[in-house]
Amino acid sequence: MKQSEVIAAQERVRQILAAAGFALTNAEATNIEVADFGLNRLASEGLELVTYVNTDRYCAKELVLFPGQTCPEHRHPSIHGQSGKQETFRCRRGLVWLYVDGPATPHIQARIPSESRPYYTVSHEIVLRPGEQYTIPPNTLHWFQAGPEGAVVSEFSSPSHDESDVFTNPNIHRETVVEEQAS
């Protein structure tokens, strides 16, 4: 991603969170993570994150999704002899379609990004509206997409080791590479 794209996405997140009544410290506002998963398709497959705390005991984050933006299918495996991340998603604003292992929903509401269609394999749909939440067990395949107005989701979890997430799409790189702009 270009540095200018990261800066624009961070500013957009700050505006979305401010409009929703979320107060960020200067450090949080400066350190908004923009994840394009190495696909360079942030509008369709990406995620923006604000991490409040991530210790060896627990983690709390805000996940911000732009309209129609999808966090690709992945799971949180066991690492270093510890169970993978268990996370609870609580929708704060907008609408989120969450997909997990389970009986397939015949006609899902999300639109799977066409470039990555083979890598979306679970289709048991959970719909989250403001105030609704769902807990995802460790090592469970899942993906999620914001509705037409975007979404803000609070994540409460066991320790987060995003670098260890296993994505169904082998082309994904969890860490965003930012291209420096010529001066």
Side-chain angles (χ1 to χ4, degrees):
M1 280 186 73
K2 294 181 180 165
Q3 187 175 21
S4 60
E5 294 172 307
V6 172
I7 291 167
Q10 289 172 325
E11 180 55 30
R12 190 172 173 191
V13 168
R14 284 190 282 275
Q15 291 174 6
I16 289 168
L17 291 176
F22 286 79
L24 298 180
T25 65
N26 287 337
E28 291 163 345
T30 301
N31 293 311
I32 294 168
E33 180 184 356
V34 177
D36 78 341
F37 303 104
L39 301 173
N40 205 22
R41 297 190 292 265
L42 186 65
S44 62
E45 292 181 283
L47 179 65
E48 293 71 37
L49 306 96
V50 175
T51 301
Y52 298 124
V53 62
N54 186 21
T55 69
D56 63 343
R57 298 192 60 203
Y58 64 98
C59 179
K61 301 178 182 179
E62 299 301 343
L63 310 178
V64 178
L65 294 119
F66 301 143
Q69 193 177 41
T70 306
C71 179
E73 185 175 282
H74 64 285
R75 61 186 175 83
H76 307 288
S78 298
I79 58 166
H80 310 300
Q82 295 185 345
S83 183
K85 179 170 77 167
Q86 176 172 304
E87 56 191 339
T88 297
F89 286 172
R90 184 173 180 89
C91 184
R92 300 295 190 174
R93 183 176 187 212
L95 173 70
V96 177
W97 298 301
L98 170 64
Y99 299 91
V100 297
D101 281 328
T105 301
H107 303 288
I108 67 170
Q109 296 178 70
R111 291 195 173 119
I112 296 174
S114 59
E115 303 91 344
S116 300
R117 184 168 296 281
Y119 307 115
Y120 288 83
T121 65
V122 296
S123 60
H124 180 73
E125 185 174 80
I126 310 291
V127 179
L128 297 176
R129 293 176 182 83
E132 296 177 334
Q133 66 185 40
Y134 184 83
T135 300
I136 303 166
N139 208 31
T140 299
L141 276 176
H142 62 286
W143 62 278
F144 48 98
Q145 184 177 89
E149 296 179 13
V152 177
V153 176
S154 293
E155 175 192 309
F156 310 98
S157 72
S158 51
S160 180
H161 303 280
D162 291 340
E163 67 282 0
S164 298
D165 292 352
V166 176
F167 287 86
T168 307
N169 182 342
N171 302 308
I172 286 180
H173 303 284
R174 178 56 184 87
E175 200 165 312
T176 298
V177 175
V178 179
E179 296 176 19
E180 295 297 323
Q181 307 230 278
S183 8

